[in-house]
Amino acid sequence: MDRIHLILCASDGARREKQVSSVTLPAVKGSLGILANHAPMLCALEEGALVCRNEAGESERIRISVGVASVTNNEVTLLLEHFEAE
């Protein structure tokens, strides 16, 4: 199965990276699902829960602040004010 490299970067220098099979983001215009080989894009994020799933189907929720997401070449990079596991 194709995987996505998820990178979270916060303004305080916190950084987290992991390999996932899907990501659901709280975008400004609604929830946005990202799978492997998604088209390149940029979007604004609102405060809420990011949900990422691994290949076994287990999910993890991460609370994120407002920010920006970039999707390109199976890599999702989030630039945020802050984030924390729920």
Side-chain angles (χ1 to χ4, degrees), residues 1 28-29 51-52 66 70 82:
M1 177 181 283
V28 171
K29 296 205 174 203
V51 179
C52 52
V66 296
S70 168
H82 57 68

Side-chain angles (χ1 to χ4, degrees), residues 30-82:
S31 183
L32 178 63
I34 307 292
L35 297 171
N37 302 313
H38 194 284
M41 62 170 251
L42 289 172
C43 72
L45 301 171
E46 62 182 21
E47 188 172 312
L50 171 151
V51 179
C52 52
R53 288 188 169 71
N54 63 22
E55 290 179 352
E58 301 166 334
S59 64
E60 178 184 3
R61 294 172 63 89
I62 301 170
R63 189 101 184 125
I64 66 169
S65 65
V66 296
V68 176
S70 168
V71 179
T72 185
N73 296 326
N74 287 329
E75 185 171 277
V76 176
T77 304
L78 306 177
L79 303 176
L80 307 162
E81 289 182 16
H82 57 68

Side-chain angles (χ1 to χ4, degrees), residues 7-28:
I7 305 168
L8 292 92
C9 300
S11 60
D12 65 2
R15 184 178 170 95
R16 183 168 177 196
E17 296 186 41
K18 64 188 307 175
Q19 296 291 326
V20 299
S21 60
S22 69
V23 179
T24 303
L25 302 170
V28 171

